[in-house]
Amino acid sequence: ISTKATCVSTYQRFVCFLRSLAVTVRMSADDLKTKSTSAIQASASDLWDLSQEIWKNPELSFQEHSAHNVLADFLEKQGFLVDRHYKLDTAFRAVCGQEGGLHVCVICEYDALPGIGHGCGHNLIAEVGVAAGIGIKAAIQGWKQPVKLTVMGTPAEESGGGKNVLIEHGCFQDVDFAMMAHPFTYNVSRWRCLAIITLEVTYKGGASHPAYQTYEGTNALDAAVLCYSNISVLRQQMRPHHQVHGIIEDGGAHPDVIPSETKLLFYLRAPSESELKKLEKRVAGCVESAAVATGCKVDYKFKRDASQYSNLIHNNTLAGLYERNVGTLGVENCDDKSITSSISGSTDMGNVTHVVPGIHPMFALPTDACVHSRPFTEAAGTREAQPYALTQGKALAMTAIDVICQSQLMDTIREEFKQDLEKD
């Protein structure tokens, strides 16, 4: 009987220990989150200045020299060790913490769009990334386990695939998970982001006078128009969320000369890379048949390089943590399927989520303007956008803190990542 009582007593003490440990972990996480959000809030004025400097000086892909320097200078002043021109002239890596444990990566983007500046709000993406970095850095100082934090500056998201170049250089090899947040018109934590590939088409015919001996010519513009029309007709039979959009880049030089060469450029999108390959095959038929019908020769190429973006895989555990944290900050996620099911786009962050677990939530600004528009550019540069950006920096930092304080979550995150890749 005494042995049984001793066992029961030992078990009870063990249960109490676990309960007290859980309370300690929760308290630690809560304390760290308070410390983190306070650090971000204390830097609010400096973060506004940082965002404004980028917004006022928009730079195109791979030309973001001012943004690179402004961000690198800022992070150095915050105590990060910064590698400037990291693998790419306008990329950077800012690191703090200790090796040997969890490695968290927060991502900044800062390239602009031709003609309209920051119509995708990348000045705010950069600000959110830096804010999250400030918050996580404050939380891990003095933490009992080693944690490494990287704020990664990734150029050329709008075109060129800067993250893909960094992936090729192995820059994410030792990262446990990566996060970023993107401004939008709705709060959508798990937006559908499509795989994308570029198609270049060139038709070659033969020039001739269009009013005299026209039979001596072979009209490459006819081939281009047929190709475009073939694809337009194909859209009626495309699967949901399969998309093709393009332009005729070169339709000839003069109306009194039958064009001997024309060029087209298309983007193809689909929910996954396997679905994208199916779409490629159907579009190739449209391209080839136009050449046959007009007697032209055709050269076409699907560009399998850094410009090819993968679909985005939202890690379920990380997304759930983010949703809970951003909810505590007063943000309501959009659950209207008529809205969320219609949202699509493409980003090289998708490729990152095929290398490491990650999340890429979208957060609403106080505007109805569409992204990639001048009105959205204006919205991204207003003071009214600042509370929304700061909230996202806090939410990302809080999400990282949850994983830091509950290291067992990484086992779940890694298993989900493995399963997601197998299903994709």
Side-chain angles (χ1 to χ4, degrees):
I1 294 174
S2 62
T3 302
K4 181 178 180 181
T6 301
C7 290
V8 170
S9 177
T10 302
Y11 174 76
Q12 290 173 335
R13 286 198 298 271
F14 180 65
V15 170
C16 289
F17 168 75
L18 290 179
R19 287 175 177 168
S20 66
L21 180 62
V23 170
T24 301
V25 169
R26 284 197 297 271
M27 288 180 62
S28 296
D30 290 342
D31 291 343
L32 292 179
K33 288 178 181 179
T34 299
K35 185 178 180 182
S36 172
T37 55
S38 296
I40 293 171
Q41 196 60 44
S43 301
S45 178
D46 292 336
L47 288 166
W48 157 252
D49 292 340
L50 174 70
S51 177
Q52 279 293 287
E53 186 67 23
I54 297 170
W55 185 80
K56 291 176 180 178
N57 298 281
E59 299 164 302
L60 301 182
S61 297
F62 295 121
Q63 300 174 33
E64 314 94 329
H65 302 287
S66 174
H68 166 276
N69 293 335
V70 167
L71 287 161
D73 290 346
F74 188 97
L75 287 162
E76 279 184 346
K77 290 178 182 178
Q78 293 293 324
F80 286 81
L81 179 64
V82 180
D83 293 322
R84 297 169 184 258
H85 315 297
Y86 180 62
K87 308 301 181 182
L88 290 166
D89 193 36
T90 53
F92 66 84
R93 179 180 66 174
V95 179
C96 71
Q98 301 178 25
E99 301 276 2
L102 189 69
H103 184 181
V104 181
C105 180
V106 183
I107 289 176
C108 295
E109 294 174 358
Y110 35 89
D111 59 322
L113 290 161
I116 63 171
H118 282 288
C120 208
H122 287 195
N123 60 304
L124 297 177
I125 295 176
E127 180 184 357
V128 169
V130 171
I134 290 172
I136 299 169
K137 181 176 182 291
I140 64 176
Q141 288 177 339
W143 180 246
K144 56 191 176 184
Q145 300 295 332
V147 178
K148 180 180 177 181
L149 167 64
T150 294
V151 178
M152 191 83 76
T154 63
E157 188 275 339
E158 295 294 354
S159 63
K163 295 181 190 63
N164 289 338
V165 178
L166 296 176
I167 289 170
E168 291 169 4
H169 282 283
C171 300
F172 293 91
Q173 279 185 347
D174 65 338
V175 169
D176 286 299
F177 62 92
M179 305 182 295
M180 63 171 286
H182 194 303
F184 194 54
T185 48
Y186 299 96
N187 295 308
V188 183
S189 61
R190 310 186 195 207
W191 69 296
R192 181 182 54 253
C193 182
L194 306 178
I196 186 174
I197 193 167
T198 300
L199 168 63
E200 297 175 337
V201 183
T202 301
Y203 288 103
K204 293 183 179 181
S208 179
H209 196 291
Y212 174 70
Q213 290 185 325
T214 57
Y215 47 83
E216 294 292 340
T218 304
N219 197 322
L221 180 56
D222 284 346
V225 171
L226 272 179
C227 173
Y228 192 93
S229 297
N230 288 346
I231 291 171
S232 295
V233 172
L234 176 65
R235 287 194 183 97
Q236 187 176 5
Q237 276 73 45
M238 285 183 189
R239 295 179 63 85
H241 309 305
H242 284 206
Q243 301 173 1
V244 183
H245 25 270
I247 58 171
I248 298 176
E249 288 190 302
D250 182 359
H254 193 281
D256 219 21
V257 178
I258 290 176
S260 61
E261 182 174 303
T262 54
K263 295 182 179 181
L264 302 94
L265 181 69
F266 292 97
Y267 287 168
L268 284 68
R269 284 183 165 104
S272 68
E273 293 184 10
S274 59
E275 287 291 306
L276 188 59
K277 287 191 178 297
K278 296 176 184 177
L279 182 58
E280 287 177 26
K281 185 176 180 181
R282 301 186 73 186
V283 171
C286 296
V287 173
E288 293 168 1
S289 62
V292 173
T294 57
C296 291
K297 294 181 180 179
V298 62
D299 293 317
Y300 66 94
K301 177 176 66 175
F302 292 102
K303 294 184 67 177
R304 306 192 190 283
D305 56 16
S307 67
Q308 183 178 1
Y309 293 178
S310 299
N311 55 298
L312 188 66
I313 301 175
H314 299 276
N315 181 268
N316 185 59
T317 293
L318 288 173
L321 293 171
Y322 165 82
E323 288 161 356
R324 185 181 68 188
N325 284 311
V326 82
T328 65
L329 297 173
V331 177
E332 293 186 11
N333 196 49
C334 178
D335 56 5
D336 185 341
K337 291 186 178 180
S338 67
I339 295 172
T340 58
S341 64
S342 64
I343 298 169
S344 64
S346 303
T347 173
D348 55 0
M349 183 62 181
N351 300 68
V352 174
T353 64
H354 284 248
V355 177
V356 298
I359 54 172
H360 183 297
M362 309 288 274
F363 64 96
L365 297 184
T367 179
D368 294 327
C370 178
V371 291
H372 288 214
S373 70
R374 289 187 183 278
F376 198 88
T377 299
E378 295 303 315
T382 62
R383 272 203 177 271
E384 287 76 16
Q386 285 305 291
Y388 300 86
L390 293 177
T391 295
Q392 292 302 311
K394 293 172 184 178
L396 293 183
M398 292 164 71
T399 300
I401 289 167
D402 282 329
V403 182
I404 291 167
C405 291
Q406 302 174 70
S407 57
Q408 74 277 8
L409 287 175
M410 272 312 305
D411 294 333
T412 304
I413 291 168
R414 291 189 184 104
E415 182 58 31
E416 289 172 347
F417 176 64
K418 179 182 176 182
Q419 291 176 5
D420 286 337
L421 290 182
E422 290 172 352
K423 289 185 296 184
D424 188 58

